[in-house]
Amino acid sequence: MRADKFKVADFHCDVLSKMQASPDINFDNDPRLDVTAERLASGGVELQCFAIFLSTNRGKPSFEHVLGQIDLFRQKIVNTDGLQWLQWKEQVGNRLVGAPPQAMLSLEGVDGLEGNLFYAQLCFELGVRFLGVTWNYANWAADGVLEKRNGGFTEKGRKLIEWCNESGMLLDVSHLSQTGFWELADLSNRPFIASHSNAAAICGHVRNLNDEQIKALIAMDGRIGLTFYPWFVSDDGKARMDDLLKHIEHVCNLGGEKHMMFGSDFDGIDTWVEKLEHPGKYPDLIEQLLRYYPEDTVKGWMYENAASFLSANLPSQVSKP
């Protein structure tokens, strides 16, 4: 099978925050973006997850800023001529030939929810399906990985976990503190993901997951989305595709062949893995993987592992209230 015929799922990009900062950006083919509609098509990306990330450059995070990025997603990404919005498990794999890629919405850090679970409910009603609890530092719900005290969840944060389990909102532990990770593993009755994290045993960056965390994700049938930020791939911050393969092999050795996917972090990074600078380069990565791994295994990493998780864990449109 040719590399350009593989389907790809990418669980993290930061297009929306760039578009909020520069409203004149054109999603079709703007050179200021890593991820564009043209590059998704040329790279075979069938599913792209768009993160709502509130940069501190805009001041204190607020729910108004969250709504602004949701509106950008609706107007610029999934408009009548754009990508198809994936919100329900019934939509996974239910595709017409030649249909445009699917797009999902995630929230990277709950700071903008302002501690209000009603705002979380509104996000769900407006189509957000993944919720990352923190972005590196502490907020009203939990500590992030760069918070030195390495605290876990607050009382409000534990109520947020309960609400997510009840509502169908899925949880993402990339950026969450280690203490928070293990508290969530104890408190959640549903599997979660790390949308854009690598293996700490290969690259020791604090944002990467240690072996016990990866094995916990595997045991709960969660997912780890390997990411392309060079500082998370290689300790010297200079990375090639072969360096990314070291993370893949390590996760496989831990038993995670069926639990691995990709979360590039395109548009959230300012350096790139060599020859993997945007989603149009995914066929090059696939060709590299096929040199070492069977076709069915590579299909799983590129799309099917992500799709199976969504089929099992997204809320159902049929049974919604």
Side-chain angles (χ1 to χ4, degrees):
M1 185 175 181
R2 286 168 41 192
D4 60 358
K5 297 300 182 182
F6 276 64
K7 294 191 294 186
V8 176
D10 185 325
F11 259 65
H12 192 86
C13 77
D14 283 297
V15 166
L16 295 177
S17 59
K18 276 191 175 180
M19 294 179 77
Q20 191 172 48
S22 302
D24 62 323
I25 285 178
N26 175 7
F27 179 63
D28 288 340
N29 54 15
D30 200 297
R32 290 170 288 182
L33 293 177
D34 300 334
V35 177
T36 65
E38 286 186 359
R39 286 170 171 172
L40 291 177
S42 65
V45 179
E46 186 81 358
L47 170 62
Q48 178 67 60
C49 192
F50 292 80
I52 299 166
F53 172 66
L54 304 185
S55 171
T56 54
N57 293 333
R58 299 187 63 84
K60 184 178 179 181
S62 72
F63 190 58
E64 180 181 358
H65 293 152
V66 172
L67 292 176
Q69 290 193 32
I70 293 175
D71 188 58
L72 279 171
F73 181 80
R74 295 165 66 97
Q75 299 297 326
K76 302 289 184 70
I77 307 298
V78 292
N79 54 36
T80 52
D81 299 319
L83 278 57
Q84 294 185 343
W85 197 341
L86 175 58
Q87 302 181 53
W88 310 104
K89 64 172 57 182
E90 291 84 3
Q91 296 173 277
V92 180
N94 186 13
R95 311 274 288 141
L96 297 174
V97 175
Q102 292 180 311
M104 292 185 67
L105 261 180
S106 67
L107 181 60
E108 186 175 20
V110 300
D111 309 56
L113 300 184
E114 303 176 30
N116 190 332
L117 292 186
F118 177 65
Y119 288 167
Q121 180 65 41
L122 285 176
C123 281
F124 182 84
E125 295 298 330
L126 291 171
V128 176
R129 287 297 178 265
F130 277 91
L131 188 154
V133 183
T134 63
W135 182 81
N136 286 343
Y137 300 101
N139 60 26
W140 59 268
D143 275 9
V145 292
L146 295 186
E147 204 66 48
K148 291 184 178 180
R149 64 186 174 185
N150 187 32
F153 281 81
T154 65
E155 185 60 33
K156 279 189 176 181
R158 288 188 282 273
K159 290 179 180 178
L160 176 67
I161 297 170
E162 183 179 351
W163 173 82
C164 288
N165 284 322
E166 292 173 352
S167 68
M169 182 75 83
L170 299 170
L171 283 160
D172 179 0
V173 297
S174 286
H175 292 285
L176 186 62
S177 68
Q178 283 198 33
T179 298
F181 178 101
W182 293 113
E183 282 191 7
L184 182 59
D186 287 338
L187 293 171
S188 180
N189 57 28
R190 306 177 71 216
F192 50 79
I193 69 167
S195 63
H196 56 305
S197 298
N198 290 344
I202 303 300
C203 173
H205 196 284
V206 68
R207 272 274 285 101
N208 289 338
L209 302 180
N210 64 39
D211 286 359
E212 294 307 308
Q213 290 174 300
I214 294 171
K215 287 190 283 188
L217 282 171
I218 293 167
M220 70 176 70
D221 201 24
R223 298 291 185 271
I224 177 171
L226 299 185
T227 191
F228 303 159
Y229 186 37
W231 285 107
F232 298 173
V233 178
S234 177
D235 286 322
D236 64 5
K238 297 177 182 178
R240 300 179 301 170
M241 288 186 194
D242 284 347
D243 296 309
L244 189 62
L245 265 62
K246 297 174 185 176
H247 292 266
I248 291 171
E249 186 67 17
H250 186 75
V251 174
C252 285
N253 288 337
L254 295 175
E257 178 183 323
K258 301 292 187 182
H259 304 84
M260 196 167 15
M261 55 186 191
F262 292 99
S264 65
D265 208 4
F266 285 139
D267 288 299
I269 56 180
D270 53 10
T271 60
W272 297 265
V273 173
E274 184 181 335
K275 298 182 180 180
L276 193 54
E277 297 87 2
H278 58 73
K281 299 293 187 73
Y282 266 117
D284 297 332
L285 174 61
I286 292 166
E287 285 186 1
Q288 184 80 340
L289 293 172
L290 289 172
R291 294 176 185 175
Y292 304 101
Y293 299 101
E295 183 177 297
D296 285 347
T297 300
V298 177
K299 283 182 180 178
W301 298 337
M302 302 314 302
Y303 180 80
E304 292 173 1
N305 292 349
S308 64
F309 181 85
L310 296 174
S311 294
N313 294 291
L314 274 177
S316 171
Q317 188 173 24
V318 175
S319 62
K320 71 175 183 175

